[in-house]
Amino acid sequence: MREYRTEELAEAAGIPVRTLRFYRERKLLPPPRREGRIAWYDDHHLARLRTIAALLERGHTLGGIAELTAAFENGRDVSQLGELLGIGWSEETPVRLTPEALADYFEGEVTPENLAASLDLGYLATDGDEIVHVSRRLLDVSSALVREGVPLAAVLETGRRVREHADAMASLFTELISAHLPQDALPRMRPLAKSVVEAELTMAMDRLLASGGGTGTGSASASGHTPSS
């Protein structure tokens, strides 16, 4: 990994030295390595400066970037995702993103609060200067909902509630298999569980739409609960 003096880093990032020092004072950059009176920066610092420039171009303020930076640095490491979710990567495909790429997926919705919620759910983790989303499918669905006008905060809250139901369904199927088949049959039976859940969800959506619930005037509003998405 290459190292840079202050002037060299500023030149590589295309910013004045005074701007680099200002970013340091605002704690937008991690501290450099010190060797006597010389401050040494590396490629991680350069990547951070390029991220700051990209986020500024997308309309973020320095204050907002500072809050996002703090949230990223306090986020869960990639190695903690499996422990957090109780699984490995499973069948899902993780996606590596730069902070500016994440901002493009959810334009105007990447706030410290939403970022913290995503980290708490285990959807996101940090890996050096990159962000890792646990699932390509979940990332695509979430960004599609946001593009349709659903607030990201509502998407994340619904995701939290969906996980509770998914955990319950997984427990039901596991209990069924464990009661009637050898324990090693469970991985082989997973596709059947997925088919059952998909079929039941499809029929449930059909019933909801047929009853008028999909318009927001059906059973959900009658029960006193407001749909979150």
Side-chain angles (χ1 to χ4, degrees):
M1 183 175 293
R2 180 179 173 182
E3 288 194 310
Y4 308 81
R5 292 174 181 259
T6 300
E7 294 77 7
E8 294 171 335
L9 180 66
E11 182 179 359
I15 60 174
V17 171
R18 64 178 180 276
T19 301
L20 171 59
R21 290 175 175 151
F22 176 71
Y23 289 166
R24 275 178 47 189
E25 293 170 1
R26 294 290 299 270
K27 301 189 184 302
L28 293 171
L29 285 177
R33 180 179 71 84
R34 290 285 179 179
E35 189 176 282
R37 299 182 62 182
I38 301 175
W40 289 102
Y41 299 87
D42 58 30
D43 289 330
H44 289 298
H45 294 95
L46 181 58
R48 176 68 62 82
L49 288 172
R50 288 172 174 166
T51 293
I52 293 170
L55 291 175
L56 286 172
E57 288 179 2
R58 286 160 173 78
H60 290 262
T61 65
L62 282 178
I65 294 172
E67 291 180 351
L68 290 173
T69 298
F72 283 131
E73 291 179 345
N74 293 328
R76 297 178 186 274
D77 187 81
V78 167
S79 62
Q80 296 176 282
L81 274 184
E83 178 183 350
L84 175 68
L85 297 176
I87 57 173
W89 285 121
S90 187
E91 298 176 6
E92 296 303 310
T93 302
V95 183
R96 290 184 172 272
L97 301 161
T98 60
E100 57 266 33
L102 183 68
D104 286 341
Y105 262 97
F106 304 102
E107 187 173 353
E109 295 278 343
V110 180
T111 65
E113 293 77 16
N114 287 337
L115 181 60
S118 298
L119 291 165
D120 185 54
L121 276 168
Y123 287 168
L124 296 181
T126 56
D127 187 16
D129 293 311
E130 289 186 312
I131 306 159
V132 179
H133 195 290
V134 70
S135 168
R136 163 64 69 183
R137 291 191 291 182
L138 289 176
L139 175 63
D140 289 344
V141 169
S142 299
S143 61
L145 287 170
V146 170
R147 287 196 300 272
E148 289 291 334
V150 181
L152 181 56
V155 172
L156 293 171
E157 177 55 29
T158 299
R160 188 185 303 277
R161 294 165 60 188
V162 167
R163 178 172 296 173
E164 294 174 359
H165 293 293
D167 287 344
M169 288 187 290
S171 295
L172 284 173
F173 197 81
T174 301
E175 291 169 5
L176 173 68
I177 299 303
S178 300
H180 300 281
L181 295 174
Q183 187 66 31
D184 59 5
L186 187 57
R188 183 165 51 87
M189 295 292 105
R190 284 183 62 174
L192 299 182
K194 291 166 63 177
S195 296
V196 169
V197 171
E198 182 177 352
E200 287 289 355
L201 180 59
T202 298
M203 291 188 292
M205 292 292 291
D206 290 342
R207 291 192 296 270
L208 183 64
L209 291 171
S211 68
T215 63
T217 59
S219 58
S221 58
S223 64
H225 295 286
T226 301
S228 59
S229 64

